[in-house]
């Protein structure tokens, strides 16, 4: 198969899940018919589940749970609505708080890996920029090549982060949040199927990010081989 065809397939695999996820989240985020917002539901769940020490607050950095500060942080632009998407996303983030309370080892590993990955990416980006210059200055091309290989290897850390993140997200969605929503206390039974689609869409966004990171690695490897 020609290289261009493989490139088109790869781009479709990266963009497809993200586009479908965006479509689902927007579809169920238009109508507002619940008595409370997603942020309200998160506070109710924290209370009902007796999640001691866990708080809920708004943020502009995107919906997430911070296991270090024990805070469910929700974006008012999305979870501040009374839509099904807002309610389900809030339940998903509370699912992470449940993971934390149960001592989930994978969540802790993911948290540490994310912090390490932030610094590793910065080091990798700096190494990529200085590798050719260092090799030329020392007149030892192998030094620059070794640095470049190391930088490409470091850039693989985001791929590992996303691959570790995916099972964490799936557990928070389908083993924590969905059973809560299916009790009938928070959403009507007829919305359960849509809630599952929303949670699946959220998982696909992480898959798309993992594929995008892998594509970035392949791009640098191809550049290195020239």
């Amino acid at each position: 198969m020609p290289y261009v065809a493989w490139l088109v397939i790869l781009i479709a695999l990266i963009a497809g899940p993200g586009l479908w996820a965006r479509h689902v989240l927007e579809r169920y985020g238009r109508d507002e018919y619940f008595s409370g917002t997603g942020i309200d539901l998160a506070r109710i769940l924290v209370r009902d589940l007796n999640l001691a020490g866990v708080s809920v607050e708004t943020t502009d950095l995107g919906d997430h749970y911070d296991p270090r500060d024990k805070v469910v942080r929700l974006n008012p632009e999305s979870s501040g609505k009374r839509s099904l998407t807002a309610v389900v996303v809030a339940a998903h983030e509370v699912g992470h708080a449940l993971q934390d309370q149960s001592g989930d080892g994978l969540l802790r590993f993911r948290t540490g890996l994310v912090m390490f990955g932030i610094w590793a990416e910065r080091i990798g980006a700096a190494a990529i920029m200085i590798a050719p210059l260092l090799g030329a200055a020392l007149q030892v091309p192998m030094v620059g090549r070794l640095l470049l290989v190391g930088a490409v290897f470091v850039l693989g850390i985001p791929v590992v982060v996303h691959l570790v993140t995916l099972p964490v997200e799936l557990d928070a969605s389908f083993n924590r949040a969905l059973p809560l929503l299916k009790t009938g206390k928070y959403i009507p039974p007829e919305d359960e199927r849509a809630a599952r689609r929303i949670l699946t869409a959220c998982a696909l966004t992480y898959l798309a990010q993992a594929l995008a990171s892998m594509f970035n690695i392949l791009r640098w490897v191809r550049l290195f081989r020239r």
Side-chain angles (χ1 to χ4, degrees), residues 47-65:
R47 181 199 65 198
D48 291 352
L49 297 171
N50 297 315
L51 295 176
V54 175
S55 59
V56 179
E57 62 184 38
T58 59
T59 181
D60 294 326
L61 301 178
D63 304 312
H64 66 280
Y65 171 71

Side-chain angles (χ1 to χ4, degrees), residues 34-101:
F34 286 98
S35 58
T37 66
I39 296 172
D40 293 331
L41 177 65
R43 293 191 173 110
I44 291 171
L45 288 174
V46 167
R47 181 199 65 198
D48 291 352
L49 297 171
N50 297 315
L51 295 176
V54 175
S55 59
V56 179
E57 62 184 38
T58 59
T59 181
D60 294 326
L61 301 178
D63 304 312
H64 66 280
Y65 171 71
D66 188 339
R68 296 168 301 172
D69 296 333
K70 311 295 182 186
V71 179
V72 174
R73 295 193 173 102
L74 299 171
N75 190 329
E77 290 294 323
S78 55
S79 298
K81 298 180 179 180
R82 292 182 171 85
S83 65
L84 184 61
T85 292
V87 168
V88 172
V89 168
H92 167 82
E93 298 305 336
V94 174
H96 286 306
L98 283 170
Q99 289 174 326
D100 190 24
Q101 187 184 60

Side-chain angles (χ1 to χ4, degrees), residues 198-213:
I198 293 170
L199 293 171
T200 302
C202 292
L204 284 178
T205 59
Y206 291 97
L207 178 60
Q209 290 171 3
L211 291 172
S213 297

Side-chain angles (χ1 to χ4, degrees), residues 137-158:
L138 298 177
Q139 296 184 345
V140 182
M142 184 59 67
V143 173
R145 291 180 180 179
L146 288 174
L147 280 173
L148 189 56
V149 170
V152 171
F153 176 76
V154 169
L155 287 174
I157 292 177

